[in-house]
Amino acid sequence: MTVNLTKGQAISLQKNDGGTLTAVRMGLGWQAAPRRGLFGSRTREIDLDASAVLFADKQPVDVVFFRHLVSDDGSVRHTGDNLVGGVGQGGDDEAILVDLQRVPVHIDQIVFTVNSFTGQTFQEVQNAFCRLVDETNGQELARYTLAGGGAYTAQIMAKVHRAGGSWTMTALGTPANGRTFQDLMPAILPHL
C-alpha cells in the first residue's frame, strides 16, 4: 500500500511483517508541460537530473548522479541519465537504487535531489514525482508529488536517514536553485 506523503512527513522503512527493507529504489518521473504558442500548444524537452548525496555526521562523503553512477562503496547506483522525461508515461524516468544492507555504518543520511541541468524552471514541468519502491518485490511504498511548478530550477526531494538499526524516509519538497547537486548544498544542509 502506497503512502502519499506531504512535505515534511516521514515514514518508517520497516516492513509490515516487522522485517527490514533491504533494497529500495528512489524513482523520479516528470513530463514537459505544454506551452501555448501562436500555433497551438507544444512541449519542449526538459532534462531533470536525480542525485543522491551520502552524508556521514552532516558531512557529504559521496554522491551518485549522472556523471558518477555508482557510489564508491557500491551501495548506491544510478540507473542512467534521461534527457527528456515522460518516457515511462507515469513510470520512473530516472532511478537511484540503494542497497540498505551495504550502506556503510558511518553513512547516516542519503538526500535525494532533482535539478534542471539546462536551467529550465519547474513552471515548465508537470506530473513530477518521486517515489520509494521496495526493490525486492516492486511494491511502491511512498510517493511525493510535486504540485504546482515554480520559478526554481531544483528541488530537495526526500531523504532516507538511519536511526539505530532502522531507516526512515522523509519527504522534503524544498524548492531551490541550481543546475547541479553542488549548487544545492547550502539548501540541503538545514535538512540534515
Side-chain angles (χ1 to χ4, degrees):
M1 180 171 142
T2 298
V3 175
N4 287 312
L5 296 176
T6 58
K7 185 175 180 172
Q9 185 178 1
I11 62 163
S12 170
L13 298 186
Q14 292 291 112
K15 288 187 171 188
N16 290 338
D17 64 7
T20 305
L21 288 171
T22 58
V24 295
R25 174 175 20 118
M26 179 62 72
L28 168 67
W30 74 92
Q31 294 175 324
R35 296 172 29 175
R36 295 187 188 269
L38 186 58
F39 301 107
S41 56
R42 57 187 167 81
T43 59
R44 184 173 155 200
E45 293 179 348
I46 305 287
D47 178 14
L48 296 183
D49 294 315
S51 302
V53 185
L54 289 69
F55 288 89
D57 197 28
K58 299 186 180 184
Q59 296 298 313
V61 294
D62 202 355
V63 66
V64 173
F65 69 116
F66 69 92
R67 289 190 179 147
H68 185 245
L69 294 175
V70 180
S71 62
D72 294 339
D73 58 53
S75 66
V76 181
R77 185 172 53 89
H78 195 297
T79 60
D81 196 12
N82 179 319
L83 302 176
V84 297
V87 173
Q89 297 300 318
D92 300 337
D93 293 310
E94 289 193 14
I96 297 175
L97 308 171
V98 181
D99 185 340
L100 295 169
Q101 294 180 313
R102 290 185 58 198
V103 174
V105 294
H106 70 285
I107 303 293
D108 54 6
Q109 298 186 70
I110 302 171
V111 178
F112 297 94
T113 65
V114 58
N115 55 274
S116 171
F117 187 73
T118 52
Q120 293 147 314
T121 69
F122 276 78
Q123 291 170 323
E124 299 176 63
V125 176
Q126 68 181 12
N127 302 324
F129 65 87
C130 77
R131 67 188 191 126
L132 191 72
V133 176
D134 182 341
E135 193 61 13
T136 61
N137 62 15
Q139 179 184 2
E140 183 175 291
L141 304 169
R143 177 178 286 256
Y144 178 68
T145 302
L146 286 146
Y152 48 88
T153 59
Q155 186 139 149
I156 298 138
M157 297 290 286
K159 70 177 180 176
V160 292
H161 44 104
R162 190 188 326 239
S166 63
W167 291 88
T168 299
M169 177 190 171
T170 302
L172 300 172
T174 302
N177 282 299
R179 294 182 44 217
T180 66
F181 73 89
Q182 293 102 325
D183 298 338
L184 304 179
M185 292 306 287
I188 292 172
L189 294 177
H191 297 287
L192 300 178

